[in-house]
Amino acid sequence: MAMNWKTGTLFAAGLALGVAAGVAGVLSLNDEKAPASASPTSAMGAPGAAKAGAAPVVAGGPGPRCTELAPLLAKGPDGDGKESLQKAAGGASDISALLLKGKEAAAGERPRDAEILFLNACRTAQAANAGGLPAADAQYQLARHYANAAAFGAARPKELYERANRLYSASLQIYEARHGASHERTKFAREGLITVQQVTGVLPPLPESAVARAKPAAPVAVPAPLPATPAAEDLAKAAAQKAQAERAAQAERAAQAERVAQAERAAQVERVAQAERAAQVERVAEAERTAQAERVAQAERAVQAERVAQAERAAQAEKAQAERALAARAQAERVQAARAQAEKAQAEKALAARDQAAKVQAERALQNAREQVAALPAPAPAPRRTTSPSFDCAKARSTTEKLICGDEELARMDRDLGRLHQRAKEAAPDRRAFQRNSDAEWQQREDTCRDRECLRNWYAERRQELSAAAAAPRPAVRAEPVVRTAPVERDDAPPRRAQRPEPVEIALPPGTASGDAGTATMGSN
């Protein structure tokens, strides 16, 4: 915050008000025209006011909270009391502005406004936690203001001195921790605390030597006038001249002391002003560094937030894309399932239509066959059979058995295969396994063969297998039947439904194709 010469002058004057009062009171003791008693404000915060041997009693723990302090000074005339307490807000620049305004109010004889401004500065510094120095500066200015007000006769002096004592102690602790014991600010706070504690009786009073220096000089005895004689007149003139010379010398010494005091006061004010300007520059620089760090942190947080937002948007887009792909796949699967269902229904309809047409065609063919059979003449008597199969044809029920019974060659092949089957069974090492294999072969013939050619092929292949098994010393028994191709049906033949053959009990003599004696049950697996 830039300051012009007028503002700087008021700033320095406010800061040095208490110091100048103390210095002027002490230095005026050397003047012949000094008052008979010293002012109580002659040492309120001024360097040199307290003896170096005095040690202040510093209160332990944290200093007072300015938010808990209520104003003590009453409103005065000439507009004093316009300022009001405010909530703590702002930064280091606001604290410096409040302190400067408080010093200007104190210099302008507005103690109530100065107290309010110093309280606002202290509240803002403590609430913002703006380091130790801004709070210490506000506490020091407030303590010095209370001490000066009490010394100049303000109401409630005991409370003013007590509050000044606490605030001086708090600022002294911060100054010693930050600057050390030899710093100028530390000295000011220590001497102000010593003076307050000497006035209130916490510390012993000033030494007698200081009190003696404060007393006025004893009057010089003036001799009675001598009779008017020439010698006496000469002596009187000489004494008058001597007294005049002494008064002139004394006036010169007083003027010299005044000049020295003025120079010291000016130097003190300049030093205080320089220290305050340096502190102000340091606070502004610290505030600027803090603001810069805050801006950098804010920019980093913004960048981080943008990255997180971008990542979230990318994740949401990817999730939406995956959901769309999943929905499209599900839709395609539903379409495909519907299409397959439609194709299945269409195929079922076509199959049902085909079955219906085949059924109608079969019924027509059966009707035609019945009509043709009815129109045929009576069959000629069957020729006498010369060869019978290995089973009783009177009990034949399956299609293959009826074909075998109706064909002389097939009957002979079945009879020969029965005898060969008996020899192979006798030569088999495991007759149970052999019998299971034979039953499987017979069942395969019953399931697949529907015409004479298929039966001839089956008998030929089975004859080769049994011949090899009967000739081998330890013939291997086949575990599974031989798969043979069923005959191809003609297109004009009526359709047949695949069905399991009904069980048939037939009497097989010894040596039949199945290899069992007596009655055997033939049927489904």
Side-chain angles (χ1 to χ4, degrees):
M1 181 176 64
M3 295 189 299
N4 53 24
W5 288 106
K6 183 177 179 180
T7 306
T9 303
L10 292 174
F11 180 72
L15 181 64
L17 179 61
V19 178
V23 174
V26 174
L27 293 177
S28 63
L29 295 176
N30 297 324
D31 196 351
E32 291 180 350
K33 298 180 180 180
S37 62
S39 172
T41 63
S42 60
M44 292 299 173
K51 289 296 180 181
V57 180
V58 180
R65 297 294 301 174
C66 292
T67 54
E68 301 174 357
L69 299 180
L72 294 177
L73 300 178
K75 295 182 180 180
D78 300 332
D80 185 22
K82 294 181 179 179
E83 300 292 339
S84 61
L85 289 175
Q86 299 176 358
K87 293 183 179 180
S93 60
D94 296 328
I95 299 171
S96 301
L98 290 171
L99 290 176
L100 180 58
K101 291 178 64 177
K103 294 172 185 177
E104 293 176 354
E109 298 182 358
R110 291 187 291 117
R112 167 74 178 196
D113 288 341
E115 179 190 15
I116 297 299
L117 291 169
F118 289 148
L119 280 174
N120 288 337
C122 184
R123 290 183 175 189
T124 302
Q126 290 180 348
N129 196 18
L133 290 178
D137 291 343
Q139 290 171 347
Y140 173 78
Q141 295 296 336
L142 191 56
R144 191 176 67 175
H145 184 66
Y146 283 140
N148 288 335
F152 280 106
R156 305 164 70 180
K158 183 178 180 181
E159 297 180 23
L160 292 172
Y161 278 129
E162 182 181 357
R163 189 173 289 185
N165 181 48
R166 295 170 59 196
L167 292 168
Y168 268 135
S169 298
S171 61
L172 178 59
Q173 293 180 33
I174 296 175
Y175 286 149
E176 284 184 345
R178 296 295 296 270
H179 298 305
S182 61
H183 195 269
E184 194 172 36
R185 293 186 180 181
T186 307
K187 292 179 180 179
F188 286 159
R190 183 185 300 111
E191 291 171 359
L193 180 60
I194 291 173
T195 303
V196 170
Q197 292 181 355
Q198 286 176 343
V199 172
T200 56
V202 177
L203 292 179
L206 294 175
E208 292 297 330
S209 59
V211 176
R213 286 197 303 270
K215 292 182 179 180
V220 180
V222 180
L226 297 175
T229 60
E233 291 178 357
D234 293 338
L235 290 175
K237 289 180 181 180
Q241 291 177 357
K242 184 179 179 180
Q244 186 177 3
E246 289 180 357
R247 286 194 296 272
Q250 190 175 5
E252 182 63 26
R253 287 194 300 271
Q256 181 66 23
E258 181 65 23
R259 287 194 295 272
V260 171
Q262 289 180 357
E264 289 180 355
R265 287 194 295 271
Q268 180 67 18
V269 169
E270 180 63 24
R271 286 195 298 271
V272 172
Q274 288 180 356
E276 186 65 26
R277 286 195 295 272
Q280 179 67 18
V281 170
E282 182 180 353
R283 287 193 294 271
V284 171
E286 186 176 358
E288 182 62 26
R289 289 192 297 271
T290 303
Q292 180 67 18
E294 180 63 24
R295 288 193 295 270
V296 172
Q298 188 174 3
E300 291 179 354
R301 288 194 297 270
V303 171
Q304 184 67 19
E306 181 63 23
R307 291 175 181 170
V308 172
Q310 289 181 356
E312 290 179 354
R313 289 195 294 269
Q316 290 179 357
E318 185 176 355
K319 181 179 179 182
Q321 185 177 2
E323 290 178 353
R324 288 195 296 271
L326 186 61
R329 184 182 302 173
Q331 182 65 20
E333 291 178 355
R334 287 194 296 271
V335 171
Q336 186 175 1
R339 186 179 301 168
Q341 188 69 20
E343 292 177 354
K344 181 179 179 181
Q346 186 176 3
E348 290 178 353
K349 291 180 180 179
L351 184 60
R354 184 185 303 172
D355 291 343
Q356 185 66 22
K359 183 177 180 181
V360 172
Q361 185 177 2
E363 292 177 353
R364 291 177 181 175
L366 181 60
Q367 184 66 24
N368 293 333
R370 288 175 179 173
E371 293 177 355
Q372 291 177 1
V373 169
L376 290 176
R384 184 180 178 183
R385 296 183 63 85
T386 58
T387 303
S388 298
S390 61
F391 56 91
D392 187 2
C393 288
K395 298 182 179 181
R397 294 185 181 181
S398 65
T399 303
T400 55
E401 291 174 348
K402 292 178 180 180
L403 288 174
I404 293 171
C405 290
D407 191 291
E408 185 74 18
E409 182 182 4
L410 292 177
R412 180 182 53 79
M413 294 176 70
D414 185 78
R415 174 67 65 179
D416 294 342
L417 188 64
R419 290 191 294 269
L420 184 59
H421 177 274
Q422 184 64 27
R423 292 198 305 271
K425 182 177 181 181
E426 293 175 356
D430 189 352
R431 293 191 178 186
R432 292 184 179 180
F434 178 82
Q435 186 60 42
R436 286 196 300 270
N437 185 52
S438 297
D439 294 342
E441 290 290 343
W442 178 86
Q443 188 64 43
Q444 194 268 342
R445 183 199 70 181
E446 292 292 315
D447 293 340
T448 57
C449 288
R450 292 292 183 271
D451 56 9
R452 183 175 183 277
E453 187 65 25
C454 178
L455 290 172
R456 291 181 73 255
N457 293 334
W458 184 86
Y459 277 114
E461 293 177 4
R462 186 62 177 157
R463 182 181 182 82
Q464 293 178 1
E465 294 172 359
L466 294 177
S467 298
R474 295 181 64 85
V477 179
R478 289 178 46 178
E480 295 181 359
V482 178
V483 178
R484 295 179 178 84
T485 304
V488 179
E489 298 182 357
R490 295 181 301 171
D491 293 339
D492 55 350
R496 290 193 317 273
R497 286 188 179 273
Q499 58 184 5
R500 303 169 67 91
E502 298 179 357
V504 178
E505 293 185 359
I506 57 175
L508 298 178
T512 59
S514 63
D516 290 335
T519 302
T521 302
M522 301 297 177
S524 59
N525 292 332

